C-alpha cells in the first residue's frame, strides 16, 4: 500500500527520507580540512558531509531514512543542540530527500524580500530568525488548506507572509524573536496544523540577517542574468581517464551552455554541459574517482591536455582568462599525486646549463605526506632536494618562510594543504617576475620519486 504524504508521523510517498542540515557561523572557505572533519564528526552520523551554504557558510548535511517530517525535525533539533556545543549555529533545516536532490539551495522569495512586520524594522536581525515551511503545490482537487490560507494557522498572523518557489511550491514565512532552534520549535505547532492537510517538503529556520543576505544575493544575481558570467570551475578526471570541466555551484544553471577548449596542436573542440555527479573527499577537494561523498555538478567533456578557452551561451562567447585556465590545469595535475612527486615551472625557453649563472625565475612543488605540499620560489635554478623523509609532521602550515633554510630558494617557501593556493601562487610568481606575456611562454616538467626494486 502506498504510504500517505500527510500527517506528521507518516512517511512520504516513495519513502525518500529527509535531509538534515545544520549551518554554522563560519565561511566554509575559512575552515581547514581538520576543522571540516571536526564539524562533520560533531553530528555523529556516518553519512554526514560538509559543504557550502547559499550564503557561503559551512553546513553539515546527512540523510535520515524511513521517517516523516516530524521525526526528521526532532532529529534535526537534537543534532543542532549537539553541534552548538562547539560551533555557533545560524540555521537548521529538514528537506525531503527527493526534493533536495534537485534543489539543494532553498528557492525562497524569488522576487525579493516580502513585507516584514513592523517590529522587524526596529530589531537587530542577528537576534531574530526566519522560519520557512514549504508544501507541495495544490493538486487538481483543492485541499482543505489552500495556499492563501497557510498563514491562518499562525496565532500572530502579522508575523507571517506567503511566498512561492520558482517551481510553484507554496511557502509560509514567519519572523521570530528567537535563535533558529527555538524559532523552529515555536513554529512547530503551526507546521503540525499545515502538515495535517498539506505535504510538507521542507522546513528551514535561519538567522534573519543570513536569510536577508541570501535574498539580496539572489535578487542581484537575477538582475545580472542578462549579463552571464563565467562560474567557478575546475578540471576533473574519472576512473577511465576521461576529462571534464566541472562546475559545482548549483546556484547557476548551465542548460544550453558549452565550453570550448584547445590542445597543444591548436585543435579546437566544443562540448555541452550536462548535469551529473562528482565526489568530494574529506578535505573538500573534488574528484571523479568515487573518493568521498557524491555531489551534484555540471560537467562538460574536454580532451586530455587541452586548456579551456571560452564558455558559450546563447551565442555569446565568454573568454576564459588564460592564466586561470593554466592554474586550473595545474590544480588538476597536482591532485592525488604520490608522496615525492615534483613539479617544476619556469620559462619555456630555459635550458639548464651548469656553466651558465644567468638568473631564472622558477618555482617547484613537492608532495609531502598527509596532503601537504611544499612550494619553493626562486630567481635561480632550483635543485632536487635530498630530503631525509617526506613527513609533514611539525611543519608550519600556510605561512611563508623566508629564513634561507634552502640555499637555492631565494624568495621563500610555503607548506600548505591548499592545492589551489599552490597552483595559483606558482603561476603568479612566474607570470609577474619572469615577465612572460602568454601561457605559451611557461614551461613545466615533473618527475615521480624513484622506487627501489623490492621483492614481494
Amino acid at each position: 500500500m502506498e504510504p500517505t504524504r500527510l500527517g506528521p508521523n507518516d512517511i512520504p510517498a516513495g519513502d525518500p527520507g529527509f535531509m538534515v542540515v545544520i549551518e554554522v557561523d563560519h565561511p566554509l572557505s575559512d575552515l581547514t580540512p581538520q576543522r571540516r572533519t571536526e564539524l562533520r564528526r560533531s553530528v555523529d552520523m556516518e553519512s554526514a558531509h560538509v559543504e557550502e551554504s547559499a550564503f557561503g557558510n559551512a553546513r553539515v548535511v546527512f540523510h535520515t531514512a524511513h521517517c516523516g517530517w516530524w521525526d526528521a525535525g526532532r532529529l534535526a533539533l537534537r543534532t543542532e543542540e549537539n553541534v552548538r556545543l562547539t560551533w555557533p549555529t545560524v540555521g537548521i533545516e529538514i528537506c525531503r530527500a527527493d526534493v533536495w536532490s534537485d534543489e539543494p539551495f532553498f528557492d525562497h522569495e524569488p522576487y525579493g524580500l516580502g513585507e516584514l512586520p513592523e517590529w522587524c524594522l526596529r530589531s537587530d536581525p542577528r537576534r531574530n530568525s526566519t522560519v520557512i515551511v514549504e508544501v507541495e503545490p495544490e493538486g487538481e482537487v483543492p485541499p482543505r488548506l489552500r495556499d492563501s490560507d497557510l498563514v491562518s494557522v499562525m496565532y500572530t498572523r502579522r508575523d507571517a507572509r506567503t511566498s512561492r518557489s520558482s517551481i510553484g511550491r507554496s511557502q509560509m514565512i514567519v519572523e521570530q524573536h528567537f535563535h533558529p532552534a527555538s524559532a523552529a520549535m515555536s513554529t512547530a505547532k503551526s507546521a503540525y496544523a499545515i502538515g495535517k492537510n498539506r505535504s510538507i517538503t521542507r522546513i528551514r529556520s535561519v538567522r534573519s540577517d543570513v536569510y536577508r543576505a541570501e535574498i539580496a544575493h539572489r535578487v542581484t544575481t537575477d538582475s545580472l542574468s542578462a549579463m552571464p558570467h563565467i562560474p567557478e570551475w575546475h578540471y576533473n578526471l574519472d576512473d577511465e581517464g576521461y576529462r571534464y570541466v566541472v562546475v559545482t555551484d548549483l546556484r547557476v544553471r548551465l542548460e544550453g551552455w558549452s565550453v570550448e577548449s584547445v590542445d597543444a596542436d591548436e585543435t579546437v573542440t566544443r562540448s555541452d554541459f550536462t548535469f551529473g555527479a562528482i565526489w568530494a573527499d574529506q578535505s573538500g577537494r573534488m574528484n571523479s574517482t568515487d573518493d568521498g561523498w557524491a555531489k551534484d555538478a555540471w560537467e562538460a567533456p574536454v580532451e586530455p591536455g587541452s586548456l579551456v578557452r571560452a564558455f558559450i551561451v546563447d551565442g555569446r562567447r565568454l573568454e576564459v582568462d588564460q592564466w586561470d585556465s593554466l592554474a586550473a590545469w595545474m590544480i588538476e595535475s597536482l591532485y592525488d599525486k604520490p608522496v615525492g612527486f615534483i613539479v617544476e615551472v619556469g620559462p619555456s625557453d630555459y635550458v639548464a646549463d651548469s656553466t651558465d649563472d644567468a638568473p631564472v625565475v622558477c618555482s617547484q612543488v613537492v608532495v609531502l605526506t598527509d596532503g601537504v605540499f611544499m612550494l619553493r620560489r626562486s630567481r635561480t635554478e632550483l635543485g632536487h632536494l635530498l630530503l631525509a623523509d617526506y613527513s609533514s609532521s611539525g611543519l608550519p602550515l600556510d605561512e611563508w618562510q623566508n629564513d634561507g633554510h634552502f640555499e637555492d630558494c631565494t624568495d621563500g617557501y610555503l607548506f600548505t594543504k591548499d592545492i589551489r593556493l599552490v597552483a595559483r601562487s606558482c603561476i603568479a610568481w612566474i607570470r609577474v617576475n619572469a615577465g612572460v606575456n602568454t601561457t605559451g611562454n611557461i614551461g613545466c616538467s615533473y618527475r615521480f620519486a624513484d622506487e627501489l626494486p623490492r621483492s614481494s
Side-chain angles (χ1 to χ4, degrees):
M1 182 175 180
E2 181 75 356
T4 178
R5 288 176 177 269
L6 302 180
N9 298 311
D10 290 328
I11 295 175
D15 192 10
F18 278 78
M19 305 302 295
V20 175
V21 186
I22 310 297
E23 181 175 346
V24 300
D25 197 15
H26 284 284
L28 178 66
S29 58
D30 287 354
L31 298 187
T32 64
Q34 178 61 34
R35 290 287 282 163
R36 295 183 189 191
T37 299
E38 292 171 1
L39 176 58
R40 177 178 58 83
R41 290 176 176 171
S42 69
V43 303
D44 194 27
M45 288 286 179
E46 187 175 341
S47 65
H49 63 269
V50 174
E51 63 183 35
E52 188 176 40
S53 74
F55 187 59
N57 283 331
R59 63 181 185 181
V60 59
V61 182
F62 64 89
H63 179 254
T64 178
H66 312 305
C67 65
W69 67 267
W70 185 263
D71 287 338
R74 293 172 61 190
L75 175 60
L77 289 168
R78 293 196 302 270
T79 303
E80 188 276 340
E81 186 176 11
N82 290 335
V83 174
R84 192 161 20 114
L85 294 174
T86 51
W87 296 83
T89 58
V90 297
I92 177 173
E93 179 178 359
I94 61 168
C95 177
R96 215 173 65 200
D98 57 327
V99 174
W100 180 268
S101 64
D102 295 327
E103 306 166 40
F105 288 104
F106 191 62
D107 185 6
H108 42 33
E109 300 194 271
Y111 303 109
L113 191 65
E115 185 176 354
L116 298 175
E118 185 177 347
W119 65 263
C120 285
L121 305 179
R122 304 188 304 268
S123 181
D124 185 350
R126 293 172 297 181
R127 298 180 178 273
N128 305 321
S129 297
T130 302
V131 183
I132 308 98
V133 180
E134 182 183 81
V135 298
E136 286 284 16
E138 293 183 359
E140 294 182 2
V141 178
R144 285 185 293 175
L145 186 66
R146 303 296 300 271
D147 291 348
S148 57
D149 298 327
L150 289 179
V151 298
S152 66
V153 303
M154 290 294 299
Y155 177 72
T156 53
R157 299 186 188 183
R158 66 180 182 275
D159 294 339
R161 60 190 183 273
T162 58
S163 181
R164 192 180 301 273
S165 73
S166 59
I167 64 171
R169 291 195 181 94
S170 298
Q171 301 160 352
M172 180 184 73
I173 303 176
V174 184
E175 302 296 334
Q176 297 275 22
H177 292 274
F178 319 114
H179 178 275
S182 300
M185 289 187 284
S186 178
T187 312
K189 185 176 180 179
S190 300
Y192 185 93
I194 292 174
K196 289 192 300 182
N197 298 283
R198 302 292 294 272
S199 177
I200 291 178
T201 57
R202 189 183 315 231
I203 301 177
R204 184 187 186 210
S205 181
V206 61
R207 206 173 67 191
S208 293
D209 63 316
V210 174
Y211 177 81
R212 296 175 197 177
E214 291 175 359
I215 295 292
H217 171 79
R218 181 186 179 98
V219 171
T220 300
T221 301
D222 289 346
S223 68
L224 295 175
S225 60
M227 302 164 50
H229 61 281
I230 298 173
E232 185 174 349
W233 61 277
H234 54 273
Y235 296 111
N236 260 333
L237 285 172
D238 65 14
D239 286 331
E240 298 179 352
Y242 293 106
R243 187 166 177 255
Y244 299 87
V245 170
V246 171
V247 175
T248 57
D249 186 351
L250 300 186
R251 290 169 291 187
V252 299
R253 292 290 181 264
L254 300 184
E255 297 102 336
W257 287 58
S258 60
V259 65
E260 182 180 284
S261 58
V262 59
D263 63 18
D265 297 326
E266 297 297 319
T267 301
V268 177
T269 58
R270 182 183 294 185
S271 57
D272 296 330
F273 277 96
T274 58
F275 200 62
I278 61 172
W279 285 260
D281 63 20
Q282 293 304 329
S283 68
R285 291 182 296 200
M286 305 299 171
N287 66 88
S288 295
T289 57
D290 297 351
D291 179 14
W293 47 273
K295 184 178 180 69
D296 292 331
W298 296 94
E299 56 186 8
V302 292
E303 293 298 318
S306 63
L307 294 180
V308 169
R309 191 160 69 174
F311 283 66
I312 300 169
V313 57
D314 296 332
R316 300 181 184 181
R317 182 182 177 86
L318 308 176
E319 299 289 343
V320 173
D321 185 286
Q322 60 179 332
W323 301 103
D324 291 341
S325 187
L326 183 62
W329 169 83
M330 191 168 184
I331 292 170
E332 173 195 24
S333 301
L334 289 172
Y335 181 78
D336 202 29
K337 289 299 185 289
V339 170
F341 180 77
I342 297 175
V343 173
E344 296 176 305
V345 181
S348 59
D349 58 357
Y350 176 74
V351 178
D353 186 344
S354 60
T355 64
D356 186 0
D357 295 328
V360 57
V361 175
C362 58
S363 57
Q364 182 185 83
V365 181
V366 182
V367 179
L368 306 178
T369 61
D370 299 322
V372 174
F373 299 90
M374 175 174 63
L375 169 61
R376 301 200 301 153
R377 303 185 306 190
S378 185
R379 299 176 189 271
T380 63
E381 184 179 343
L382 288 165
H384 287 181
L385 299 174
L386 299 177
L387 299 175
D389 61 67
Y390 290 93
S391 172
S392 60
S393 177
L395 298 177
L397 299 182
D398 302 318
E399 298 178 4
W400 279 103
Q401 308 296 317
N402 295 283
D403 53 14
H405 182 80
F406 303 109
E407 292 183 359
D408 59 347
C409 183
T410 64
D411 284 75
Y413 57 96
L414 173 74
F415 301 106
T416 183
K417 292 185 176 182
D418 190 337
I419 193 171
R420 291 175 175 80
L421 175 62
V422 170
R424 291 166 180 166
S425 297
C426 185
I427 297 300
W429 168 249
I430 306 298
R431 178 185 180 184
V432 173
N433 294 279
V436 296
N437 297 319
T438 68
T439 56
N441 292 331
I442 290 184
C444 177
S445 64
Y446 65 90
R447 63 172 294 177
F448 291 86
D450 297 318
E451 295 184 4
L452 296 174
R454 303 183 189 278
S455 58
S456 57

